Amino acid sequence: MEKRLSKRKLSWFRAFAVVIPLIILIVTELLLRVFDYGHDSSLFIPYPDNTDYWVMNKYASERYFTDTANATKGSIEPFKIEKAPNTCRIFVLGESTTAGYPYFHNGSFHRWLQYRLMHTYPDVKFEIINVSLTAVNSYTVLDFGKEVVKYQPDAVLVYTGHNEYYGALGIGSTSHIANNRFLVKTVLYLRKFRLVQLFDNIINKFKAAPSGDIDQRDNLMKRMAANQQIPYGSPAYLAGITQFQDNMDELCRLMQDKNIPVFLSTLVSNEKDIKPFISELGKSASADEQFNLANASYNAGKYVLAKQQYDKAKELDMLRFRAPDAMNQIIVKLSQKYNDVHLVDTKSVFEQHSPNEIIGNETILEHVHPNLYGYALLSDAFYQAIEKEDIIKAKPAQQISFAQLLKQMPVTKVDSLNGAYTIMMLETGWPFNKPIPAGFKRGNTIEEQLAGALSTGRINWLDAMNQLFQYSMKANDKATALKAVEAVMLEYPQNTTYQVYAARLSFDQGDYDNAIFYFKRLYDNDPSLTNTENMYLVLLKTDRPGDAVPYIGSAIKMPGSNPQLNSLLLIVNEIVDLEKKLTASSNDINLREQIAMDYNKIGVNEAAARYRQTQ
């Protein structure tokens, strides 16, 4: 007769049966981490070049892609671990448009915004950190949003919605898991563990038969699109809208609970100048038919009707790389539902700057990505919304108009050409299938050479900017050299060398306000004797003696300062007094000559010449 286990022993046995596998899993996970298998998927990690800063983790995206070969990388935009006083920290969430494709770097709208804000509010330290990724959607945006709230944001900017069907975890993508949000979120959580990463890698190796390997010659659009026909109103179509609604609502609710201002933008796409990708055959009201009707209406001058027909053609396009109107309706409703969610009506801005208020190639490169003018408009839409909500608690030193921004923004011709070449190559593939124009031949200017090398990956962006700078300096083209160095300075704001070049080149170009701006940034970052001397010298050369006096006084107190600074201070104070008298008697030639002579005494002949020229 078999001896039965006592109840107590049976309970112990069951407990061990549960605990031992758990212990094995935990030990295996720990061993994998000790031996550095897999990747830490945290959004931010300490910056390897300077551990006083956080930087976006290049592996942060891998959890969202079924095949990590498709996983995309973000920007390197370090920000301080210890948030400094008087810092405005803004995070940017979204997809490829938000990342600035195909220009990236200073073509991205957040860099246009950063440039405008830092010149408008020079006494505020702006950290604008873009954590957008190509080929992701609202699942990634939501997860990244949950992370950025831990890093003391003053605002969060969001532009997302075009990738809901074919971005990672999209309804029609190759990275699709299920239509169940709980299941998707559970899988995303589990993928943080190295053990799950190991299982994923094993499964992918068995799945990847030679015929099934990813063809890297295919563009990412083709590799990510599985279900290429999603009819309007179909279950898959509705599932994409529901997915976007649920994820964005959760994001907005999270930000509301944390009292973090969110600026949520409506979406834009090319309506007029891109034919529907896939039109449903046998339908009387097909995408192609609506597009043809829209063209006829437009050519007949019936623009209101044409706009409606173009929009309907986009809605009926079964290859859903352009967000349906329902996404914008959700965005508007969320801004009405939550007090801390502010609408950025980018679509209205683009329509106002489009012929007959129909968005086309004037602002959009292909189907959804803006050209440089479009990215400037996108930045303006966010800028105006930020100004309206008054989140920056400082007085503006100056207001930069949109026209000034377009003129001053350091985007080089290399950037512009690189974007054009990149799009031209993209459009040779699916779903555009447009051959390179027969007459196209790349020119041989330095900008064209560098852009060609950049667009084909033969050099990186920093190398391109450095080569442009060196060539321009040799050619004595200081305007282009300044634009190149300002561009790199925005990319690497911690590197003060670029600010020195920007300040000096600005002065050489006669842009004294810009020169003072950059010298002041250097001084604020490091009030050394050298930076203090630069400040009072540039202020004297631009005839601002009153502003120079405090810096001369500071320099006098510093070790190693020139003993003659006391004499300099006396003369500068005399100039200040003489200028006050001249204000009351502007035609006094003797006063002007005295001021000019004083400036000559201290070697500031540029300012002296101004007073003699006006005599």
Side-chain angles (χ1 to χ4, degrees):
M1 228 177 132
E2 292 183 8
K3 189 176 180 181
R4 291 189 177 182
L5 292 172
S6 67
K7 288 185 178 180
R8 185 178 178 186
K9 286 183 179 180
L10 187 60
S11 297
W12 277 107
F13 178 79
R14 287 172 177 168
F16 276 120
V18 173
V19 169
I20 288 174
L22 259 172
I23 292 171
I24 292 170
L25 290 174
I26 292 169
V27 170
T28 306
E29 175 71 19
L30 291 172
L31 285 172
L32 289 171
R33 288 174 184 255
V34 167
F35 289 102
D36 203 27
Y37 179 85
H39 302 123
D40 173 12
S41 61
S42 303
L43 179 56
F44 297 114
I45 58 172
Y47 187 30
D49 293 350
N50 187 339
T51 52
D52 291 334
Y53 289 80
W54 293 114
V55 72
M56 189 176 180
N57 183 2
K58 66 180 180 180
Y59 299 116
S61 66
E62 288 195 349
R63 291 192 298 128
Y64 307 96
F65 291 83
T66 302
D67 194 322
T68 55
N70 289 327
T72 53
K73 304 292 188 289
S75 302
I76 297 175
E77 296 187 323
F79 63 100
K80 283 196 170 183
I81 289 176
E82 294 293 331
K83 186 178 178 182
N86 199 33
T87 296
C88 181
R89 180 175 289 174
I90 299 172
F91 289 98
V92 182
L93 304 173
E95 308 157 354
S96 57
T97 297
T98 326
Y101 181 88
Y103 310 100
F104 301 107
H105 308 289
N106 296 332
S108 171
F109 91 86
H110 83 290
R111 287 283 174 80
W112 289 80
L113 179 64
Q114 180 181 352
Y115 184 86
R116 194 174 188 179
L117 286 174
M118 76 183 198
H119 281 272
T120 304
Y121 302 96
D123 295 328
V124 178
K125 297 172 186 174
F126 287 97
E127 293 177 338
I128 304 184
I129 305 104
N130 195 335
V131 293
S132 304
L133 293 172
T134 300
V136 299
N137 61 26
S138 62
Y139 273 116
T140 307
V141 170
L142 171 60
D143 269 12
F144 284 5
K146 290 176 180 178
E147 290 292 311
V148 302
V149 297
K150 304 171 187 175
Y151 295 88
Q152 300 173 273
D154 294 292
V156 174
L157 316 184
V158 184
Y159 183 96
T160 190
H162 283 306
N163 286 355
E164 220 52 44
Y165 294 95
Y166 300 124
L169 304 174
I171 297 301
S173 80
T174 52
S175 288
H176 182 56
I177 297 173
N179 292 347
N180 185 302
R181 287 183 80 241
F182 175 78
L183 178 58
V184 172
K185 293 170 84 170
T186 301
V187 170
L188 290 178
Y189 175 76
L190 291 174
R191 281 180 177 171
K192 293 179 180 180
F193 295 99
R194 309 302 172 91
L195 189 57
V196 176
Q197 293 177 28
L198 174 63
F199 290 152
D200 274 348
N201 290 338
I202 292 170
I203 291 167
N204 283 333
K205 280 187 178 180
F206 279 108
K207 283 169 60 180
S211 61
D213 286 343
I214 286 178
D215 188 347
Q216 296 292 346
R217 293 171 299 178
D218 287 338
N219 63 39
L220 191 57
M221 293 175 72
K222 186 173 183 179
R223 300 204 306 267
M224 291 297 293
N227 182 0
Q228 297 175 9
Q229 296 189 19
I230 301 177
Y232 180 81
S234 66
Y237 170 90
L238 296 174
I241 292 169
T242 300
Q243 173 180 288
F244 182 75
Q245 163 78 49
D246 292 344
N247 286 336
M248 295 309 294
D249 187 79
E250 185 176 344
L251 176 68
C252 292
R253 186 169 62 253
L254 168 70
M255 297 295 171
Q256 180 81 16
D257 291 344
K258 300 287 184 182
N259 296 315
I260 298 169
V262 175
F263 292 86
L264 185 59
S265 174
T266 53
L267 301 158
V268 295
S269 58
N270 195 331
E271 302 165 358
K272 174 171 63 73
D273 295 313
I274 191 158
K275 189 177 182 292
F277 292 117
I278 298 179
S279 183
E280 192 169 3
L281 298 174
K283 285 275 186 177
S284 57
S286 68
D288 281 348
E289 182 187 12
Q290 288 300 313
F291 189 75
N292 293 333
L293 289 171
N295 283 337
S297 298
Y298 193 91
N299 292 332
K302 300 175 181 178
Y303 302 120
V304 174
L305 177 59
K307 183 174 179 59
Q308 294 170 353
Q309 292 165 332
Y310 281 127
D311 183 68
K312 191 169 183 181
K314 179 204 70 177
E315 292 290 291
L316 294 173
D317 187 354
M318 292 198 296
L319 186 58
R320 299 205 169 272
F321 281 121
R322 294 178 290 176
D325 291 342
M327 304 299 192
N328 278 341
Q329 293 165 14
I330 290 167
I331 288 165
V332 172
K333 287 177 182 176
L334 287 171
S335 70
Q336 295 167 347
K337 180 178 179 180
Y338 296 101
N339 292 333
D340 284 333
V341 177
H342 310 293
L343 181 67
V344 180
D345 198 355
T346 297
K347 188 175 183 188
S348 292
V349 171
F350 270 64
E351 287 172 342
Q352 290 164 18
H353 290 82
S354 299
N356 307 302
E357 298 194 353
I358 303 174
I359 301 171
N361 287 345
E362 295 81 9
T363 55
I364 306 288
L365 288 165
E366 14 73 324
H367 59 309
V368 293
H369 299 108
N371 56 26
L372 286 172
Y373 178 59
Y375 277 119
L377 286 174
L378 182 55
S379 79
D380 188 54
F382 276 97
Y383 177 82
Q384 298 301 338
I386 289 170
E387 288 287 280
K388 180 183 176 184
E389 298 304 326
D390 197 29
I391 68 161
I392 301 167
K393 305 305 179 186
K395 289 185 178 180
Q398 60 175 328
Q399 290 289 354
I400 296 179
S401 68
F402 182 65
Q404 286 176 293
L405 178 66
L406 289 172
K407 184 179 178 182
Q408 294 175 211
M409 180 66 190
V411 178
T412 69
K413 191 174 180 181
V414 173
D415 294 302
S416 178
L417 288 169
N418 171 50
Y421 296 161
T422 300
I423 290 298
M424 184 172 63
M425 289 185 289
L426 173 76
E427 290 186 329
T428 61
W430 182 90
F432 307 98
N433 301 315
K434 291 167 60 176
I436 292 175
F440 173 77
K441 186 177 181 182
R442 199 205 74 204
N444 207 35
T445 65
I446 183 66
E447 290 91 352
E448 288 165 320
Q449 290 179 46
L450 291 173
L454 184 58
S455 63
T456 52
R458 286 181 282 126
I459 59 172
N460 62 40
W461 183 82
L462 180 59
D463 287 340
M465 291 300 105
N466 284 338
Q467 289 184 44
L468 179 64
F469 171 75
Q470 291 166 10
Y471 179 90
S472 302
M473 289 297 287
K474 286 179 183 176
N476 200 33
D477 180 2
K478 291 186 177 179
T480 300
L482 173 59
K483 187 153 279 195
V485 81
E486 279 191 291
V488 178
M489 187 204 65
L490 280 176
E491 185 89 355
Y492 300 96
Q494 292 82 23
N495 190 325
T496 56
T497 303
Y498 299 118
Q499 294 178 32
V500 173
Y501 278 116
R504 291 176 179 171
L505 284 167
S506 295
F507 189 86
D508 291 345
Q509 292 292 296
D511 189 348
Y512 302 123
D513 288 338
N514 220 31
I516 292 169
F517 172 80
Y518 288 123
F519 277 127
K520 180 68 163 54
R521 284 173 70 87
L522 285 162
Y523 175 83
D524 289 342
N525 186 60
D526 176 22
S528 64
L529 179 59
T530 299
N531 289 336
T532 307
E533 288 172 342
N534 283 334
M535 276 305 301
Y536 69 68
L537 285 172
V538 73
L539 289 166
L540 290 174
K541 287 180 178 182
T542 54
D543 190 26
R544 305 184 195 191
D547 294 332
V549 166
Y551 293 101
I552 300 170
S554 295
I556 289 171
K557 299 173 185 176
M558 293 182 181
S561 63
N562 192 325
Q564 296 180 353
L565 281 178
N566 288 303
S567 299
L568 174 66
L569 184 58
L570 287 171
I571 295 171
V572 173
N573 276 322
E574 183 176 303
I575 294 171
V576 172
D577 291 338
L578 289 169
E579 287 189 346
K580 287 178 182 176
K581 292 177 182 178
L582 188 61
T583 303
S585 182
S586 59
N587 296 322
D588 193 322
I589 295 174
N590 292 328
L591 281 174
R592 291 182 178 280
E593 181 59 29
Q594 282 181 275
I595 293 169
M597 288 173 63
D598 276 348
Y599 270 129
N600 284 142
K601 283 180 191 177
I602 59 176
V604 186
N605 299 325
E606 301 94 332
R610 292 178 191 167
Y611 284 91
R612 291 199 173 101
Q613 287 169 1
T614 55
Q615 288 181 18

